[in-house]
Amino acid sequence: MKNRLRVLRAEREWSQADLADRLGASRQTVNAIETGRYDPSLPLAFKIARLFGLHIEEIFIDEAVEAAAE
Amino acid sequence: MARTVSAASTPKVQGRGVLTLGIVGALVVATGAPDVETLASITGWGVPEPIARAGMYVAPVLAIVVAMLIGRALGKGRPMGVRWLLYALLGGFAGFFMGLCLDLFVGVPNIIAMLSGPLAEPGEIEMILWSLGALCIALGLMVGLIGLVGQPAVSALQVEDADPECVEVRKSERGVFTLSGIGMATLGIACAALAVSRQVAESERFGPVIVAFVAGLLSVVASYVLWRGFDEMQRRHVVDGYAASAIVVTLGAFAWAGLQTLGLAPPIDAAGVFVSLIFVQLIATSLVTSSVMGQMSMFGKPA
């Protein structure tokens, strides 16, 4: 699953460590989510969405839906 | 269309793991003495004994360095799981070659014998316990070093060039590495003490067994504290690793049971089950973690 986490984080000039602290997660987890190696649980995805003031689907992009739309 | 994550283009940090492994290999080699049978074979080919002896010290170190360089070259651009397998296989060959050339840690049995009495010749299970113990202690020291020193230790141990974010170790993360190192090292001590308890005279077994229990308990406590501090992804890696181990061990035990019934495999005792579990768990948790995390978590069992 693709996501815009790195872009959103960069817009706020946060490091991965800053974002990890805000989420109560490890820096490794933030890195794995950003690079698409790990899909977060729903609670963590909601936490991320709340932190950026966005809906989940504005951050995480379902590639199957994206492909269907194209 | 929304902007999405793209591959990071930040310059990589140079890994010095090959050099470090070469130095560690040289230190380990220095504790050994040439294997008598191998030395006899080499001199039998007409090689003068002094040259054969020197070669048996030098060749294993070169084998380690060459194995890692080949692993790096073959693994370039391949998924982490494949690279992990390549390093494990090539490193295994280098280790086997080292064992073929030298009897390592020749002074250690005498030191242990001074503490616990004379040791009987090790059987297969004891050999595996010693090997696992040495591996866990070495891994524990490496991971513990990261906990103590931080980033320089990661760069020194990293075999491949890595993203700066992978090499970075924050102060708050050092505790995780320290605990992980303690867990690994104490597990290694428990394995070694169990081996000693099986090799000493019956009247001398109580001491090594107590050491094994205390070290095992410390390892469990360290793992539990680590687990409590893990977030959801780290816990998932641990669960995935243990799930994979459970499948392998169940299939292995089933196959063993069948072979034993046919008289093709010897009976296995509790120590045999223990070493099989630890061995499979070490491989499975490392493989699962490295597959998902890439370079960030190649340093041993996560919990």
Side-chain angles (χ1 to χ4, degrees), chain B residues 73-127:
Chain B
L74 291 178
K76 210 167 190 178
R78 297 185 196 280
M80 191 62 211
V82 176
R83 302 209 304 275
W84 187 96
L85 277 175
L86 275 172
Y87 287 124
L89 280 173
L90 290 164
F93 278 124
F96 175 75
F97 182 65
M98 187 185 267
L100 201 67
C101 289
L102 300 164
D103 293 327
L104 300 169
F105 304 109
V106 283
V108 173
N110 292 335
I111 296 169
I112 293 170
M114 275 165 54
L115 295 169
S116 63
L119 296 175
E121 278 297 308
E124 282 170 11
I125 296 290
E126 288 78 32
M127 292 288 275

Side-chain angles (χ1 to χ4, degrees), chain B residues 24-35 57 95 98-99 101-113 119 127 130-139 141 192:
Chain B
V24 171
L27 291 173
V28 172
V29 158
T31 69
D35 181 79
Y57 281 100
M98 187 185 267
C101 289
L102 300 164
D103 293 327
L104 300 169
F105 304 109
V106 283
V108 173
N110 292 335
I111 296 169
I112 293 170
L119 296 175
M127 292 288 275
W130 279 115
S131 305
L132 267 182
L135 177 69
C136 289
I137 291 170
L139 282 173
L141 289 175

Side-chain angles (χ1 to χ4, degrees), chain B residues 12 40 45-46 52 83 104 106 109 134 154 170 173-174 199 208 210-211 236-237 239 242 248 260 268 270 284 299-300:
Chain B
K12 301 258 182 182
W45 300 332
R83 302 209 304 275
L104 300 169
V106 283
V154 181
R170 297 166 73 205
E173 292 167 348
R174 284 198 193 175
Q199 289 178 249
I210 291 293
V211 173
R236 203 176 103 181
H237 291 164
V239 172
Y242 281 108
V248 172
Q260 193 183 324
I268 193 163
F299 306 102

Side-chain angles (χ1 to χ4, degrees), chain B residues 147-172:
Chain B
L148 284 176
V149 185
Q151 191 169 328
V154 181
S155 301
L157 295 170
Q158 192 79 36
V159 175
E160 299 174 349
D161 295 346
D163 291 333
E165 288 155 348
C166 296
V167 177
E168 184 193 343
V169 180
R170 297 166 73 205
K171 219 172 186 176
S172 60

Side-chain angles (χ1 to χ4, degrees), chain B residues 37-287:
Chain B
E37 286 178 24
T38 311
L39 182 64
S41 300
I42 297 173
T43 49
W45 300 332
V47 179
E49 194 178 318
I51 294 174
R53 279 181 180 275
M56 287 168 79
Y57 281 100
V58 175
V61 180
L62 290 177
I64 292 172
V65 172
V66 170
M68 291 301 111
L69 290 175
I70 292 173
R72 242 166 65 157
L74 291 178
K76 210 167 190 178
R78 297 185 196 280
M80 191 62 211
V82 176
R83 302 209 304 275
W84 187 96
L85 277 175
L86 275 172
Y87 287 124
L89 280 173
L90 290 164
F93 278 124
F96 175 75
F97 182 65
M98 187 185 267
L100 201 67
C101 289
L102 300 164
D103 293 327
L104 300 169
F105 304 109
V106 283
V108 173
N110 292 335
I111 296 169
I112 293 170
M114 275 165 54
L115 295 169
S116 63
L119 296 175
E121 278 297 308
E124 282 170 11
I125 296 290
E126 288 78 32
M127 292 288 275
I128 298 171
L129 278 170
W130 279 115
S131 305
L132 267 182
L135 177 69
C136 289
I137 291 170
L139 282 173
L141 289 175
M142 282 162 64
V143 177
L145 192 67
I146 295 171
L148 284 176
V149 185
Q151 191 169 328
V154 181
S155 301
L157 295 170
Q158 192 79 36
V159 175
E160 299 174 349
D161 295 346
D163 291 333
E165 288 155 348
C166 296
V167 177
E168 184 193 343
V169 180
R170 297 166 73 205
K171 219 172 186 176
S172 60
E173 292 167 348
R174 284 198 193 175
V176 175
F177 283 104
T178 307
L179 264 177
S180 189
I182 291 171
M184 289 294 294
T186 47
L187 177 62
I189 291 168
C191 289
L194 195 59
V196 172
S197 73
R198 293 166 62 95
Q199 289 178 249
V200 291
E202 208 167 334
S203 57
E204 305 289 338
R205 284 182 185 162
F206 189 69
V209 167
I210 291 293
V211 173
F213 271 123
V214 171
L217 189 66
L218 280 174
S219 181
V220 170
V221 170
S223 294
Y224 177 70
V225 176
L226 263 179
W227 170 266
R228 289 286 303 261
F230 277 175
D231 67 10
E232 62 170 55
M233 186 190 73
Q234 293 164 323
R235 286 186 177 193
R236 203 176 103 181
H237 291 164
V238 177
V239 172
D240 285 354
Y242 281 108
S245 324
I247 293 167
V248 172
V249 171
T250 306
L251 288 173
F254 180 72
W256 193 282
L259 291 171
Q260 193 183 324
T261 309
L262 296 171
L264 298 171
I268 193 163
D269 65 1
V273 174
F274 171 72
V275 293
S276 309
L277 278 171
I278 295 295
F279 182 70
V280 173
Q281 283 170 7
L282 273 176
I283 291 176
T285 49
S286 302
L287 183 58

Side-chain angles (χ1 to χ4, degrees), chain A residues 2-7 9 11 16-17 20-21 24-29 31-35 37-41 44 61 66 70, chain B residues 1-9 163-170 172-173 177 231-234 236-237 291-296:
Chain A
K2 291 181 183 176
N3 68 76
R4 298 174 59 219
L5 202 55
R6 177 164 284 184
V7 174
R9 176 173 65 77
E11 283 171 0
Q16 287 186 343
D21 287 343
S26 67
R27 195 169 51 86
Q28 287 83 354
T29 298
N31 180 282
I33 295 171
E34 283 190 357
T35 50
R37 290 194 297 250
Y38 176 70
D39 293 331
S41 67
L44 183 56
I61 298 122
E66 200 181 40
E70 282 171 4
Chain B
M1 197 173 121
R3 289 166 68 192
T4 53
V5 174
S6 59
S9 57
D163 291 333
E165 288 155 348
C166 296
V167 177
E168 184 193 343
V169 180
R170 297 166 73 205
S172 60
E173 292 167 348
F177 283 104
D231 67 10
E232 62 170 55
M233 186 190 73
Q234 293 164 323
R236 203 176 103 181
H237 291 164
S291 297
V292 184
M293 293 289 291
Q295 295 144 318
M296 274 184 160

